[in-house]
Amino acid sequence: MAKPRKAKSAPKPRMSPAHRERLIVEGAIAFFAEVGLEGQTRELAKRLGITQPLLYRYFPSKDDLLERVYEEVYLKRWKPEWEALIADRSLSIGERFRRFEKDYQRTIMTYDWLRIFFSAGLKGTDLPRRYLLRVRDLIFTPVLGEMRREFGLPSPAQLPLCAQEYELMFGIHGALVYVGIRRFIYNMDVPTDQDLVFDTEMDAFLAGVSPVMRRLVAEQQAVQRARRRKS
Amino acid sequence: MAKPRKAKSAPKPRMSPAHRERLIVEGAIAFFAEVGLEGQTRELAKRLGITQPLLYRYFPSKDDLLERVYEEVYLKRWKPEWEALIADRSLSIGERFRRFEKDYQRTIMTYDWLRIFFSAGLKGTDLPRRYLLRVRDLIFTPVLGEMRREFGLPSPAQLPLCAQEYELMFGIHGALVYVGIRRFIYNMDVPTDQDLVFDTEMDAFLAGVSPVMRRLVAEQQAVQRARRRKS
DNA sequence: CCGCTCATTTATCAATCTATAAATTAGAGC
DNA sequence: GCTCTAATTTATAGATTGATAAATGAGCGG
């Protein structure tokens, strides 16, 4: 058994600024995910085993600390390889999208990621909006382009992607994310075998997407023809 | 132009307790939806044009006021006719479910409903969990039973509903709710014609649900047979 | 082992929080 | 118009908030 250095309980090792900063950031992620972004700096400090003013030596304000949390959880966890995967034509676009969503869901389906994301959204931060626009522009847009190609439909250059086509992508995306929402936001039990859920949802989506896109494209072409006739 | 009664700006009419209480509850719904459940009673009072202590004449504490908000937004907006609709065999179960979701989504797809729901979830309130269990038990369970029947599959009494079948329901449900999440939580633009989005999603779901349920039931039966052989 | 740097703590301010008690005054009933 | 009930306000307690300034002391370089 360890012999206590003094009568007082804990020895207090000093840390290098770099190490301390990491501890604070990681502690802040876990803390704000649990109690919400209005969580108090005093309570955070207590969990970290430090005093509250020490936080202000590393971050000028609570908002600065939160900015750092966003950067750590969302920007740093984005994988550029996802964009490369979508472009890889050695696989069918269905398979590429399936692999993307599988890894993406594995990345975001955590207590920290989901809870801070929703807290930030409710607070009015535009981080969730910007993040999803990124998903749309860097993932959904090329996926839809590749699907058009694979289904023998006009390219987006010939016939622009329509809102309904994007909604198809947001639909399957939302269905998958909803599992995490139920688990981490609503505190519900979800099936232990998440891969099975994922595959069932994805199979249903991939089976249905082709005919629906054909229909949407046909409707858009009809609109386009009617417009030409008018002018 | 109205002649001011006195030099001071606003005339202050007294209200009956019933009327005042309604104003407070409705103001509180809008207020907490906007700023979150940690919104301050002083700020709420200011928006209502009353002083903060007056709130405490109508509600013993802030938590009591929040309880009332939950009751007003979630319990009072639940329509028992939904359960009757699902049971109405003069319509196909697909049509019944479509009509249910259409009216349900119209009910919950509001700024107040969605934002307070997520705020409550993040805060740790078990209201969202309890609410969704109600949806599952009163809607999804009978819908799945009727689908089994319509597809000529064993009844839930013969072969219990499995987790994957429930996930199918949560999947389409989540895809639809996700539109509201993007709009009211993430503050994104969503297509103006929500009915079109709804129909596209629902068509795809109803087209795909039958074969998937057949497969799931077959798998369950195989498991059951294997189990019997063992014992 | 001395001295200096800087990681960390103690002490505290000013603003803000929920909640309570007592003072005010609008307005219905006589 | 007087009176009394109760709707509403003023005043304030008591706890907590983010943030700052000054004091402390661990541990490295000499």
Side-chain angles (χ1 to χ4, degrees):
Chain A
M1 288 182 195
K3 192 164 53 177
R5 205 176 290 207
K6 286 187 177 184
K8 296 205 170 181
S9 57
K12 285 175 184 173
R14 293 202 168 180
M15 288 182 186
S16 71
H19 188 193
R20 176 64 76 194
E21 186 174 311
R22 271 244 62 82
L23 284 188
I24 291 178
V25 170
E26 279 164 17
I29 291 172
F31 175 71
F32 289 123
E34 182 181 332
V35 308
L37 303 184
E38 337 75 34
Q40 304 149 13
T41 53
R42 278 182 159 80
E43 178 71 18
L44 167 59
K46 189 189 287 181
R47 293 208 195 184
L48 288 166
I50 62 177
T51 58
Q52 181 243 11
L54 188 54
L55 294 173
Y56 286 84
R57 185 156 186 93
Y58 290 87
F59 298 92
S61 74
K62 185 181 168 181
D63 278 340
D64 285 286
L65 175 54
L66 283 176
E67 274 310 318
R68 178 60 182 280
V69 164
Y70 298 150
E71 188 187 319
E72 205 75 18
V73 176
Y74 303 104
L75 305 190
K76 283 206 178 172
R77 294 188 196 172
W78 179 273
K79 301 183 187 172
E81 61 197 77
W82 287 333
E83 300 155 56
L85 168 60
I86 297 300
D88 172 17
R89 286 189 175 161
S90 72
L91 297 169
S92 75
I93 183 57
E95 185 56 26
R96 279 176 266 169
F97 182 60
R98 177 192 295 272
R99 290 190 190 185
F100 159 75
E101 280 290 351
K102 199 148 208 160
D103 193 51
Y104 179 83
Q105 296 296 332
R106 214 187 299 276
T107 302
I108 74 161
M109 200 75 76
T110 70
Y111 187 86
D112 298 345
W113 201 103
L114 280 170
R115 290 181 64 93
I116 296 177
F117 203 69
F118 277 88
S119 293
L122 286 168
K123 194 186 176 188
T125 310
D126 69 340
L127 173 124
R129 199 184 122 270
R130 287 203 329 256
Y131 189 92
L132 260 146
L133 290 178
R134 182 192 193 120
V135 172
R136 188 193 64 183
D137 294 341
L138 297 183
I139 308 293
F140 293 169
T141 297
V143 165
L144 286 169
E146 293 291 292
M147 284 184 168
R148 284 272 192 90
R149 203 180 101 101
E150 208 170 292
F151 302 155
L153 296 169
S155 77
Q158 297 169 299
L159 185 80
L161 296 170
C162 73
Q164 297 297 311
E165 288 175 286
Y166 279 108
E167 287 305 311
L168 281 176
M169 304 301 294
F170 276 117
I172 174 67
H173 197 74
L176 296 172
V177 173
Y178 197 59
V179 179
I181 292 175
R182 283 156 50 210
R183 179 162 170 206
F184 295 119
I185 314 283
Y186 300 164
N187 198 28
M188 299 179 77
D189 292 326
V190 295
T192 47
D193 190 346
Q194 298 208 15
D195 280 352
L196 201 53
V197 175
F198 179 93
D199 289 333
T200 305
E201 290 287 346
M202 188 56 84
D203 288 344
F205 170 74
L206 292 178
V209 69
S210 159
V212 177
M213 275 185 73
R214 262 175 236 284
R215 202 197 71 208
L216 291 173
V217 164
E219 284 171 7
Q220 282 300 105
Q221 286 175 321
V223 169
Q224 219 175 44
R225 272 194 299 273
R227 210 175 284 148
R228 280 211 198 86
R229 220 170 292 140
K230 256 189 183 171
S231 62
Chain B
M1 288 179 197
K3 193 165 54 177
R5 205 177 289 206
K6 286 187 177 184
K8 296 204 173 180
S9 56
K12 285 174 184 172
R14 293 199 170 184
M15 288 181 185
S16 72
H19 188 194
R20 176 65 76 196
E21 185 174 311
R22 272 243 62 79
L23 284 188
I24 291 177
V25 169
E26 280 164 17
I29 291 172
F31 175 73
F32 289 123
E34 183 181 331
V35 308
L37 303 184
E38 337 75 32
Q40 306 149 12
T41 54
R42 276 183 159 78
E43 177 71 18
L44 167 60
K46 189 189 287 182
R47 292 208 195 185
L48 288 166
I50 62 177
T51 57
Q52 182 243 12
L54 187 55
L55 293 174
Y56 287 84
R57 183 154 187 97
Y58 291 88
F59 297 92
S61 73
K62 185 182 168 181
D63 278 341
D64 285 286
L65 175 54
L66 283 176
E67 274 309 318
R68 179 60 182 280
V69 165
Y70 298 149
E71 188 187 319
E72 204 75 17
V73 176
Y74 303 103
L75 305 190
K76 283 206 178 172
R77 294 188 196 172
W78 179 272
K79 301 183 188 174
E81 60 198 76
W82 288 332
E83 300 155 55
L85 169 60
I86 297 300
D88 172 17
R89 286 189 175 162
S90 72
L91 298 168
S92 76
I93 183 58
E95 185 55 26
R96 279 177 266 168
F97 181 59
R98 177 192 294 273
R99 291 190 189 185
F100 159 74
E101 280 289 352
K102 198 149 208 161
D103 193 51
Y104 179 83
Q105 296 296 332
R106 214 187 297 276
T107 302
I108 74 161
M109 199 74 76
T110 70
Y111 187 86
D112 299 345
W113 201 103
L114 279 170
R115 289 182 63 94
I116 296 176
F117 203 69
F118 277 88
S119 294
L122 285 168
K123 195 186 175 187
T125 309
D126 70 340
L127 173 124
R129 200 184 123 269
R130 287 203 328 256
Y131 188 92
L132 258 138
L133 290 178
R134 183 193 193 117
V135 172
R136 188 193 64 184
D137 294 340
L138 297 184
I139 308 292
F140 293 170
T141 297
V143 165
L144 286 169
E146 292 292 291
M147 285 184 168
R148 284 272 191 91
R149 203 181 102 102
E150 208 169 293
F151 302 154
L153 297 169
S155 77
Q158 297 168 298
L159 185 81
L161 296 169
C162 73
Q164 298 296 312
E165 288 175 288
Y166 279 107
E167 288 304 311
L168 282 176
M169 304 301 294
F170 276 117
I172 174 67
H173 197 74
L176 296 172
V177 173
Y178 197 58
V179 178
I181 292 175
R182 282 155 51 209
R183 179 162 170 205
F184 295 118
I185 314 284
Y186 301 164
N187 198 29
M188 299 179 79
D189 292 326
V190 296
T192 48
D193 190 345
Q194 298 208 16
D195 280 352
L196 201 53
V197 175
F198 179 93
D199 289 332
T200 306
E201 289 287 347
M202 188 56 83
D203 287 345
F205 170 74
L206 292 178
V209 69
S210 159
V212 177
M213 276 186 72
R214 262 175 236 285
R215 201 197 71 208
L216 291 173
V217 164
E219 286 170 5
Q220 281 301 105
Q221 286 175 321
V223 170
Q224 218 175 46
R225 272 193 298 273
R227 210 175 284 147
R228 280 210 198 86
R229 220 170 293 140
K230 256 189 183 170
S231 63

